[in-house]
Amino acid sequence: FFFFFFVFFFFFFFFQAEDGIRDFCLSRGLGDVYKRQVIKLRAPLKVFGNIHGDLHDLLRIFETWKGPVESNAGGDIDSVAYLFLGNYVDRGSKGLETVCLLMALKLKYPDAVHLLRGSHEDRLVNAVYGFADECAAKLHENVNERTSVFQAINDAFAWLPLGAVVEDKILCVHGGIGPSITRVEDLNKVTRPIELCREMSVEEQAILLNCLWSDPSAAESEAGFAKNTLRSNISTDHIFKFGVDVLAHFLEENNLELIVRGHEVAQNGIDVFGNSKMITVTSCANYCGSYTNPACILVILKTLEIVPKLILPSGGSWADTKKRQEPLTPPRR
């Protein structure tokens, strides 16, 4: 079923790419749906981590664990919401198809499909890590022109919300927390649309960078905040790692039980941190053809129990992806 669904979607968007994609993005369809940077959601829902243009595995997840269509078509969208934590493009070869599919699903099911902003939903990043080259090659466009699909999609990215709170107890974000984020409400200080310019003297930019690029410490024995040297190509001074103590204090201050995030590659598809108070989930298998990790999604039940669902790597995920010069982020183990 999902094969035929994808064929229909591909025909609609790519044979009308100049009209379909650009018109949707320029209509501010995503911004009109989301009024605040933090959205409130109810369980049950499925949570997806990094996809990175791995459309093959995204469709395999839909096939294996049901997807966002009606139950009479084999899906579960009428009973389960879907939340995607960002990093839809770059690295993989089908970022354009992936983000168009997710946008189409958001249009069709605006109250059940939710897209957060990730660290690669940033034109300064995806101009380097593959998405710009992909748009230029597939759409034969000059990505530097303001009328290009590449620019229109990035304009839409600037409207995406930064976080979601599930049943007032679980915070879902792309990256994490930082010194500029002490309360969930801090995320709502960021006005939209907003570009990440890395001018950290501006409070909004500090919050944005903390939320999209921060990581939990590699070892649970590490306390407090420390500069995140793995992200030094983005910023040398303003991206942080945070310890278990920081996480525990944040949860207590905000009356939360858990943070769910994407951003990093979890070697087992899922990684737990801080006495299981933070979960990292990765939804692309065998990341960049290098890590042999399974892909995972999280199902948050009505009871707020977290149930991971995995698919193992297959040969087709990264077969047509060109190896790029940009270094890969080491996985969490």
Side-chain angles (χ1 to χ4, degrees):
F1 169 79
F2 282 104
F3 172 77
F4 292 107
F5 177 79
F6 170 67
V7 170
F8 171 78
F9 138 78
F10 185 89
F11 175 85
F12 179 80
F13 273 96
F14 275 73
F15 282 84
Q16 304 183 48
E18 297 298 321
D19 297 325
I21 305 174
R22 189 186 298 109
D23 287 354
F24 169 74
C25 295
L26 295 180
S27 72
R28 297 195 331 199
L30 299 176
D32 289 341
V33 172
Y34 297 123
K35 304 303 182 185
R36 291 166 64 85
Q37 285 285 16
V38 181
I39 58 178
K40 296 293 186 73
L41 299 178
R42 304 296 301 270
L45 77 160
K46 294 178 178 177
V47 183
F48 291 69
N50 289 357
I51 299 172
H52 275 310
D54 184 7
L55 183 67
H56 175 82
D57 281 339
L58 179 61
L59 296 178
R60 284 207 302 137
I61 290 172
F62 290 165
E63 284 280 8
T64 305
W65 301 113
K66 295 189 178 182
V69 293
E70 289 80 4
S71 56
N72 60 10
D76 57 6
I77 195 67
D78 36 14
S79 60
V80 179
Y82 282 68
L83 176 63
F84 298 85
L85 301 182
N87 279 12
Y88 312 119
V89 301
D90 288 341
R91 303 292 196 186
S93 64
K94 291 183 171 58
L96 184 59
E97 293 91 332
T98 297
V99 76
C100 286
L101 175 58
L102 294 177
M103 286 180 174
L105 290 170
K106 179 61 186 174
L107 274 178
K108 184 169 177 58
Y109 306 108
D111 297 324
V113 174
H114 306 281
L115 311 178
L116 299 188
R117 188 173 185 175
S119 55
H120 284 254
E121 280 68 66
D122 171 7
R123 79 184 78 230
L124 295 179
V125 173
N126 60 47
V128 175
Y129 283 83
F131 187 51
D133 291 344
E134 185 183 349
C135 289
K138 291 178 178 176
L139 301 176
H140 307 290
E141 66 176 9
N142 179 351
V143 298
N144 295 315
E145 292 183 354
R146 283 301 307 162
T147 56
S148 68
V149 168
F150 171 78
Q151 297 291 344
I153 290 177
N154 274 290
D155 288 344
F157 287 162
W159 286 92
L160 290 175
L162 297 177
V165 176
V166 182
E167 302 287 0
D168 295 322
K169 290 299 179 183
I170 300 174
L171 174 64
C172 300
V173 291
H174 176 71
I177 55 180
S180 297
I181 305 172
T182 60
R183 302 196 64 81
V184 172
E185 191 60 31
D186 290 336
L187 298 177
N188 284 319
K189 296 177 181 178
V190 179
T191 57
R192 294 175 298 154
I194 187 167
E195 299 284 344
L196 189 57
C197 68
R198 301 171 178 79
E199 177 49 66
M200 299 307 296
S201 62
V202 179
E203 183 184 26
E204 286 187 330
Q205 289 291 318
I207 293 171
L208 195 59
L209 204 57
N210 285 181
C211 177
L212 298 182
W213 285 97
S214 292
D215 297 312
S217 300
E220 298 203 1
S221 59
E222 299 175 14
F225 288 108
K227 290 183 180 180
N228 194 338
T229 57
L230 288 176
R231 311 291 184 182
S232 60
N233 59 321
I234 302 298
S235 173
T236 57
D237 297 315
H238 301 292
I239 296 177
F240 296 90
K241 285 184 173 289
F242 52 89
V244 173
D245 57 332
V246 172
L247 172 62
H249 180 73
F250 181 88
L251 292 174
E252 182 178 4
E253 287 293 305
N254 290 275
N255 195 28
L256 295 169
E257 296 178 358
L258 176 71
I259 295 179
V260 175
R261 65 186 291 271
H263 195 42
E264 292 183 285
V265 182
Q267 185 62 56
N268 296 314
I270 180 174
D271 178 85
V272 296
F273 176 80
N275 298 315
S276 299
K277 295 299 185 182
M278 172 169 278
I279 299 176
T280 300
V281 59
T282 301
S283 299
C284 52
N286 191 25
Y287 175 65
C288 290
S290 300
Y291 288 164
T292 69
N293 61 283
C296 181
I297 64 171
L298 303 179
V299 180
I300 303 179
L301 304 179
K302 286 185 177 180
T303 61
L304 299 188
E305 178 185 356
I306 308 293
V307 180
K309 302 288 188 180
L310 301 172
I311 62 168
L312 297 177
S314 72
S317 300
W318 304 89
D320 57 350
T321 300
K322 294 180 180 179
K323 296 293 184 182
R324 301 182 62 83
Q325 297 296 319
E326 294 80 15
L328 301 181
T329 304
R332 296 192 67 81
R333 297 183 183 278

